Amino acid sequence: VDCTGHGVPGAFMSMIGNEILSGIVAENRITSPAQILNQLDKGIKTALHKEENTIHDGMDLALITIDKKAKTLTFAGAKNPLFYIQNNYLEVIKGDKMPIGASERERKSDFTEHVIDISIPTTFYLFSDGFQDQFGGQEGRKFMVKNFRDLLFEIHTKDTADQKQILYQTFKNWIGNEHKPIDDVL
């Protein structure tokens, strides 16, 4: 989850979102990623009285459930994608182009659910936009989605501790001493 806003507004959105999400899953026992996103969207709008004001806060997120018996992964995304690798090929499933808490103008329909067969070895990644949007390098440009996707593909066969270290070091090298982190990286 990547909430809009910085400081107190961002923290407030995180707290509200976490509380609503917990209720949807724990109390209402909803496990469908798309249904969870639809309910979260309604809950955020109600909590922030979005119909009555012009607050533009919301959140982008990627959500999955895994059915171990059926060997499937189900994904729904509010702007954030899912990257997964099977048979040495990287696939991208884009999230819907609307955030949680979208205005009625931004809201196109309900969130879309995607089911992936994971009966074969599968590596998958969920992430915020903080890494690929970070400025750095010699020319002070963004890291970009393509470079991030290529990096994930390059490291996907390594164990997760090594992947974490490579991602951390790549990010640190990218920003160097000339740039400051501009967003959270998840």
Side-chain angles (χ1 to χ4, degrees):
V1 179
D2 187 8
C3 295
T4 59
H6 297 280
V8 173
F12 185 63
M13 180 60 69
S14 296
M15 289 177 12
I16 291 171
N18 186 57
E19 189 66 28
I20 295 169
L21 184 60
S22 293
I24 293 167
V25 177
E27 295 168 23
N28 298 339
R29 305 254 189 254
I30 296 174
T31 59
S32 156
Q35 288 179 20
I36 292 169
L37 294 187
N38 288 324
Q39 291 297 312
L40 184 57
D41 184 62
K42 288 177 189 169
I44 291 292
K45 287 176 181 172
T46 299
L48 298 179
H49 306 288
K50 285 197 132 210
E51 281 76 26
E52 302 165 17
N53 59 51
T54 58
I55 296 172
H56 296 290
D57 290 334
M59 56 186 72
D60 302 341
L61 75 108
L63 183 65
I64 63 165
T65 57
I66 296 174
D67 184 330
K68 291 181 181 179
K69 283 186 181 178
K71 296 184 179 178
T72 58
L73 177 150
T74 306
F75 163 77
K79 293 185 82 175
N80 286 356
L82 166 72
F83 287 6
Y84 71 98
I85 302 166
Q86 289 181 333
N87 296 321
N88 212 34
Y89 186 75
L90 188 142
E91 295 276 353
V92 175
I93 300 177
K94 293 182 178 181
D96 290 301
K97 292 183 179 185
M98 55 190 175
I100 297 296
S103 68
E104 289 308 311
R105 193 180 87 253
E106 294 173 295
R107 178 97 179 175
K108 307 290 186 245
S109 62
D110 285 342
F111 288 94
T112 309
E113 203 160 78
H114 306 269
V115 179
I116 301 160
D117 176 2
I118 56 170
S119 62
I120 59 175
T122 305
T123 304
F124 59 91
Y125 299 94
L126 305 173
F127 48 89
S128 66
D129 60 1
F131 200 115
Q132 62 264 25
D133 285 353
Q134 177 60 49
F135 291 98
Q138 292 181 342
E139 298 177 17
R141 295 186 180 196
K142 287 185 177 184
F143 192 80
M144 303 301 288
V145 174
K146 181 191 182 315
N147 293 328
F148 187 62
R149 185 181 60 230
D150 292 348
L151 175 60
L152 292 177
F153 184 76
E154 182 181 313
I155 67 174
H156 83 276
T157 58
K158 299 184 182 306
D159 83 20
T160 53
D162 290 340
Q163 289 185 47
K164 180 180 177 181
Q165 184 57 38
I166 291 166
L167 287 166
Y168 173 79
Q169 196 59 52
T170 301
F171 188 81
K172 191 174 173 183
N173 292 345
W174 180 253
I175 63 175
N177 294 324
E178 300 81 40
H179 304 279
K180 300 280 185 220
I182 61 166
D183 198 358
D184 295 329
V185 175
L186 176 65

